[in-house]
Amino acid sequence: MNSNNPRVCFVCVGNSARSQMAEGLLRKFANEKIDVQSCGTHVSRIVHPISIVVMDELGIDINHHRTKTARAVNAADYIISMLSLIHISEPTRRTPI
């Protein structure tokens, strides 16, 4: 990470699919000009295997990614929420992956 770069954090519920994929995409296309992270509000244990396969098909390796808690937003300059309205209105109710 470069301390002069803007810091972006993608947030979703489990940090197992959407936010991990967004992190991988932005990291690839930002060419090290943006520091990118992702996190979840109710973190899953693993990055979803289908997310890893789909990103691999795009030539982006997220196999090394790990799920992270929402504490990652503390260091972010920009927070991009990937939560749906149902997750915002009922944050304790979610479907496990």
Side-chain angles (χ1 to χ4, degrees):
M1 285 191 192
N2 181 333
S3 62
N4 295 322
N5 287 348
R7 297 166 300 200
V8 172
C9 185
F10 292 97
V11 182
C12 70
V13 177
N15 191 224
S16 64
R18 292 171 291 188
S19 56
Q20 292 286 351
M21 296 170 79
E23 176 184 350
L25 284 164
L26 184 57
R27 183 170 281 132
K28 177 177 180 170
F29 293 110
N31 294 319
E32 299 184 12
K33 294 178 182 171
I34 299 173
D35 294 334
V36 187
Q37 295 187 76
S38 65
C39 66
T41 57
H42 294 81
V43 180
S44 297
R45 290 174 288 145
I46 61 168
V47 176
H48 198 287
I50 293 175
S51 299
I52 294 170
V53 170
V54 168
M55 295 302 286
D56 189 54
E57 290 173 359
L58 296 174
I60 300 171
D61 181 13
I62 64 168
N63 192 50
H64 64 283
H65 284 201
R66 300 293 173 252
T67 58
K68 298 168 286 302
T69 65
R71 279 183 262 156
V73 301
N74 293 334
D77 297 313
Y78 302 95
I79 300 166
I80 301 172
S81 172
M82 304 185 86
L83 299 169
S84 68
L85 290 177
I86 193 156
H87 290 122
I88 292 169
S89 64
E90 296 184 46
T92 58
R93 180 181 167 197
R94 66 174 202 158
T95 305
I97 292 179

